[in-house]
């Protein structure tokens, strides 16, 4: 991809994000989430364009994306779903334990758990 196409694509994304933030009425938290998601997508796209993501193993990239998705979902539940603080605390602990066990299993540290493959087997 040549430099002019890259700059044009970044300008288009910036203008679209500005238009959405300026003219579409939505809650400030939703706009914040949208902005973060777009920034993460643009950074990942730029890393892919410059070949940085090609150096990272596909399985590791899948693990990082899964951790980001789980973290974002847990954050959304904590922010937007009204429930007692004690229940939220228990939910957070259960999710964290499940993620740690999944990571240990995915990297082969725990052999007693069923294997969960990240990426293509």
């Amino acid at each position: 991809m040549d430099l002019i196409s890259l700059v044009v694509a970044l300008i288009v994304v910036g203008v679209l994000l500005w238009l959405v933030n300026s003219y579409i009425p939505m809650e400030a938290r939703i706009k914040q989430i949208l902005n973060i998601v777009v920034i993460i997508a643009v950074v990942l796209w730029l890393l892919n364009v410059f070949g940085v993501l090609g150096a990272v193993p596909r399985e590791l990239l899948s693990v990082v994306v899964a951790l980001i998705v789980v973290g974002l979902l847990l954050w959304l539940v904590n922010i937007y779903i009204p429930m007692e603080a004690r229940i939220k605390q228990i939910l957070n602990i259960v999710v964290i334990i499940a993620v740690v066990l999944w990571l240990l299993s995915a990297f082969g540290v725990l052999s007693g758990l069923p294997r969960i493959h990240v990426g293509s087997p």
Side-chain angles (χ1 to χ4, degrees), residues 69-103:
V69 168
V70 168
L72 184 62
L73 289 174
L74 190 61
W75 177 72
L76 288 171
V77 166
N78 282 323
I79 295 294
Y80 291 109
I81 297 181
M83 64 179 92
E84 189 179 328
R86 184 75 175 145
I87 296 174
K88 281 186 183 182
Q89 184 180 17
I90 293 171
L91 176 68
N92 290 339
I93 290 170
V94 167
V95 169
I96 290 171
I97 290 172
V99 167
V100 168
L101 289 174
W102 172 71
L103 284 172

Side-chain angles (χ1 to χ4, degrees), residues 25-84:
M26 65 180 90
E27 190 177 334
R29 288 183 183 172
I30 302 294
K31 283 185 182 182
Q32 182 182 19
I33 293 169
L34 175 69
N35 291 332
I36 290 170
V37 168
V38 169
I39 289 171
I40 290 172
V42 167
V43 167
L44 288 173
W45 174 70
L46 286 172
L47 289 174
N48 190 33
V49 165
F50 289 113
V52 176
L53 288 182
V56 177
R58 185 68 104 189
E59 293 80 16
L60 183 61
L61 190 60
S62 297
V63 168
V64 170
V65 169
L67 289 174
I68 290 171
V69 168
V70 168
L72 184 62
L73 289 174
L74 190 61
W75 177 72
L76 288 171
V77 166
N78 282 323
I79 295 294
Y80 291 109
I81 297 181
M83 64 179 92
E84 189 179 328

Side-chain angles (χ1 to χ4, degrees), residues 1-19 38-50:
M1 174 176 272
D2 61 344
L3 186 60
I4 293 174
S5 299
L6 183 69
V7 170
V8 168
L10 289 174
I11 290 172
V12 168
V13 168
V15 168
L16 288 174
L17 197 57
W18 173 75
L19 287 171
V38 169
I39 289 171
I40 290 172
V42 167
V43 167
L44 288 173
W45 174 70
L46 286 172
L47 289 174
N48 190 33
V49 165
F50 289 113

Side-chain angles (χ1 to χ4, degrees), residues 101-116:
L101 289 174
W102 172 71
L103 284 172
L104 291 174
S105 174
F107 286 108
V109 177
L110 287 179
S111 59
L113 294 177
R115 247 343 240 177
I116 301 171

